[in-house]
Amino acid sequence: MTGIVALYIFMLAAFTGYEVIAKVPVILHTPLMSGSNFVHGIVLVGAMVALGAATSPLEKTIGFIGVLLAAGNAVGGYAVTERMLEMFKASGARKGGGAKGSH
Amino acid sequence: MLDYLNAAALIQASYLVTAFLFIMGLKRMSSPVTARSGILWAGAGMLVATLATFFYPGMSNYPLIIIAVAIGGSIAWISGRRVAMTDMPQMIALYNGMGGGAAAAIAAVELYRGGEMSHTEATLAVVGAIIGAISFSGSLIAFAKLQGLIRKAVRFGGQQLLNLLLLAGAIVCAVMIASGINASPAVITGLFALALVLGLSMTLPIGGADMPVVISLYNALTGLAVAFEGFVLGNAAMIIAGTVVGSAGTLLTQLMARAMNRSLGNVLFSGFGDTGGAATQGTVTGSMKSIDAADVGVMLAFAQKVIIVPGYGMAVAQAQHKVWELSQLLIDRGVTVRFAIHPVAGRMPGHMNVLLAEAGVPYDLIADLEEVNSEFETADVALIIGANDVVNPVARNDKSSPIYGMPILNADKAKNTIVIKRGQGAGFSGIENALFYLDNTRMLYGDGQAAVSQLIAAVKAA
């Protein structure tokens, strides 16, 4: 990938992140932080590629730790975010759209 | 199986799909109505990318990859399923630290291998390495602090100087590696060691009350580190997802810091409570007056309007279900009940809403600071359960207080203020609360859950 293309991606993605989160009500800050924590769990694919290309024992060891940590980030991030958001759904259903209440 | 070109093209296409699913997922997570499906979208994106990566051209070490994914994934799944809602912030810190560590590990593998890298790639690799390593060790400290494993904020003279030297040392190593002057394993090891220690020494002096801001900051930093390592690997999914999280996390960090009336620099570079302690104690006069549950029950039962101010202490005592039961009783008697949530109630913005949602409190009863603050003057009773600093009036008028200027809930403006509290100690930040000494404030001592149970009985009897 050339540098200038990557710069374009950086810039557009940065605006996207800002815009997506700009209108978020306070009630969703914790689940959203957790959700964005899950999204950077995509580091898993990079760690897999790094370990997949590792040859020396040192590279393999570090790569193994990397994949292990990345899998923890992705899976753990999903588990806690899903649990938190689960309750938001239940509450909305019970109160008939009350989830929109405070905002 | 697939020939080389086809596999590469398919993987790129799947990463594009992943980026789309992530952005849609985050978008849906930003509204309560669609939030639940948002995580499913993002989860689907992660699945697509992970499966596609198994077909990456020239990959080996499959057994190691599968074992690492299985171990890391299952530990995280079990811990994530079991953790109590009150402990959510530190679990997010922990998982986030793991992501930072993984980004640093990618950089380490690439740097130790010493393959051909352009200057841009090498620069982003080392910058990502530093950021990822800081996020890793810093998040572990944040986790340990919120989990109660480290109870004191560690401060010593020359701490800022030490941090500066560590950072300077890491930058020197980074420049040597990136410019190709000396990319020997010794310098690479030095880079990681300095960055890891910097993460520790940056985070240790920060008090527990400021931790949410720090966790949010490290979340943003991990995103950036992932994006930088994504560039090194030529992986568009990592660049997009990492950058989106980096910018969204930065905005979220600013929102939180603003809610606490603290600038980010203030959180990071000045220990909370340095000017507090002795200075604030002189301003508190009078004595705390206690009350028993039966009297509070009568007061509540015959009130027109009750505002409940829940804090983290309520959740620790697992009292939120009882509080909701009490509220329902009062509502049935025709009392207007509102829940007033401070932006930093709980340990993160929105954390208290999660805890109340868990107990079944509907959203239309929950009001945030701006909505509810004018209502305290017309409230008969403000019932404070496990909250402390967020109702401390010294934030309004005592310039020497470390929390001076923080927006607070005006619980002191209610006709009667009842504080349910375990004992007479100071709050999370260790600051004396002037509210407890006011003339219209009464203290109901006891464990949160037991005290609210007594109130339920008292209201039923009234």
Side-chain angles (χ1 to χ4, degrees):
Chain A
M1 194 176 319
T2 59
I4 192 71
V5 173
L7 266 181
Y8 274 113
I9 298 180
F10 272 130
M11 183 190 74
L12 295 173
F15 276 116
T16 307
Y18 192 93
E19 283 303 316
V20 160
I21 218 159
K23 301 163 215 92
V24 166
V26 180
I27 58 165
L28 282 171
H29 276 184
T30 293
L32 197 69
M33 195 209 283
S34 182
S36 62
N37 177 40
F38 164 69
V39 165
H40 68 51
I42 191 67
V43 72
L44 175 60
V45 303
M48 286 168 66
V49 171
L51 176 56
T55 46
S56 75
L58 176 69
E59 290 169 21
K60 282 186 191 175
T61 309
I62 299 173
F64 185 83
I65 296 170
V67 173
L68 195 125
L69 290 174
N73 182 181
V75 175
Y78 184 86
V80 296
T81 310
E82 203 259 341
R83 269 182 68 197
M84 280 191 271
L85 291 175
E86 179 86 43
M87 300 181 315
F88 280 81
K89 179 194 114 191
S91 183
R94 186 172 55 249
K95 282 300 288 186
K100 284 173 280 187
S102 69
H103 289 268
Chain B
M1 211 179 339
L2 295 161
D3 66 65
Y4 187 94
L5 269 179
N6 272 342
L10 265 178
I11 288 165
Q12 293 304 330
S14 71
Y15 286 170
L16 185 68
V17 171
T18 297
F20 171 77
L21 288 171
F22 276 170
I23 292 168
M24 284 303 287
L26 280 175
K27 177 85 194 136
R28 295 182 78 81
M29 270 186 254
S30 63
S31 155
V33 185
T34 54
R36 173 76 182 78
S37 66
I39 184 64
L40 296 178
W41 283 65
M46 190 71 75
L47 205 61
V48 168
T50 311
L51 290 179
T53 305
F54 275 104
F55 299 99
Y56 214 84
M59 289 261 284
S60 55
N61 297 330
Y62 281 108
L64 279 178
I65 294 175
I66 291 168
I67 292 169
V69 169
I71 297 175
S74 52
I75 292 173
W77 181 258
I78 293 166
S79 61
R81 284 278 128 191
R82 288 199 182 153
V83 60
M85 283 296 157
T86 44
D87 295 338
M88 236 11 129
Q90 55 261 48
M91 284 318 278
I92 296 173
L94 189 63
Y95 297 139
N96 173 53
M98 293 170 104
I106 293 171
V109 171
E110 297 300 319
L111 291 173
Y112 279 123
R113 180 185 300 132
E116 273 301 300
M117 270 196 221
S118 71
H119 279 307
T120 319
E121 282 168 350
T123 306
L124 288 178
V126 290
V127 173
I130 294 176
I131 297 175
I134 289 175
S135 173
F136 175 64
S137 58
S139 295
L140 290 185
I141 296 295
F143 169 78
K145 286 204 171 209
L146 290 180
Q147 191 69 20
L149 301 174
I150 301 175
R151 292 199 180 275
K152 289 292 284 180
V154 181
R155 297 196 193 99
F156 50 87
Q159 202 155 18
Q160 301 301 341
L161 186 67
L162 173 73
N163 289 348
L164 211 62
L165 289 175
L166 286 167
L167 182 63
I171 290 174
V172 168
C173 290
V175 170
M176 282 167 75
I177 297 167
S179 64
I181 294 172
N182 184 350
S184 66
V187 179
I188 297 169
T189 308
L191 174 80
F192 284 102
L194 287 167
L196 287 171
V197 176
L198 178 59
L200 297 180
S201 73
M202 262 174 71
T203 320
L204 275 170
I206 300 170
D210 282 338
M211 257 332 141
V213 180
V214 175
I215 295 173
S216 179
L217 177 69
Y218 286 148
N219 186 41
L221 286 181
T222 301
L224 276 185
V226 170
F228 290 167
E229 299 311 328
F231 181 82
V232 176
L233 297 173
N235 186 316
M238 282 171 72
I239 298 179
I240 295 172
T243 310
V244 166
V245 173
S247 77
T250 306
L251 178 61
L252 204 54
T253 310
Q254 284 171 343
L255 290 175
M256 287 192 196
R258 203 175 302 150
M260 297 165 76
N261 198 40
R262 313 257 294 143
S263 77
L264 200 52
N266 211 338
V267 168
L268 290 177
F269 302 120
S270 75
F272 198 61
D274 272 355
T275 56
T280 38
Q281 283 179 4
T283 64
V284 176
T285 53
S287 61
M288 295 195 206
K289 296 160 282 286
S290 69
I291 189 169
D292 61 41
D295 291 341
V296 180
V298 172
M299 196 187 276
L300 291 173
F302 295 99
Q304 295 208 309
K305 183 165 169 185
V306 173
I307 299 179
I308 298 174
V309 182
Y312 185 67
M314 176 198 73
V316 170
Q318 286 295 313
Q320 59 267 46
H321 295 274
K322 289 283 176 197
V323 169
W324 176 226
E325 195 184 330
L326 174 68
S327 311
Q328 283 172 304
L329 267 181
L330 294 174
I331 292 166
D332 289 345
R333 292 181 67 105
V335 181
T336 306
V337 176
R338 293 274 263 166
F339 285 83
I341 309 283
H342 191 273
V344 294
R347 283 181 162 182
M348 258 185 208
H351 188 201
M352 185 53 64
N353 301 75
V354 172
L355 296 169
L356 289 177
E358 189 190 13
V361 179
Y363 288 98
D364 45 1
L365 296 188
I366 301 175
D368 62 24
L369 185 129
E370 277 130 50
E371 286 176 79
V372 83
N373 247 353
S374 57
E375 292 190 27
F376 277 104
E377 279 161 43
T378 59
D380 300 292
V381 184
L383 182 63
I384 294 158
I385 307 175
N388 194 337
D389 295 330
V390 298
V391 290
N392 192 344
V394 300
R396 235 184 269 133
N397 44 38
D398 181 358
K399 288 202 168 108
S400 68
S401 171
I403 59 169
Y404 175 74
M406 179 175 90
I408 58 159
L409 291 164
N410 297 332
D412 54 326
K413 303 258 168 85
K415 291 187 190 93
N416 298 284
T417 305
I418 305 294
V419 180
I420 298 179
K421 205 165 174 309
R422 184 179 279 278
Q424 301 197 341
F428 199 41
S429 61
I431 300 159
E432 198 67 57
N433 193 335
L435 174 72
F436 301 166
Y437 298 87
L438 295 177
D439 287 338
N440 59 347
T441 303
R442 293 291 178 273
M443 309 296 290
L444 178 58
Y445 291 115
D447 168 72
Q449 193 169 347
V452 178
S453 300
Q454 288 167 7
L455 289 183
I456 291 171
V459 169
K460 279 182 180 160

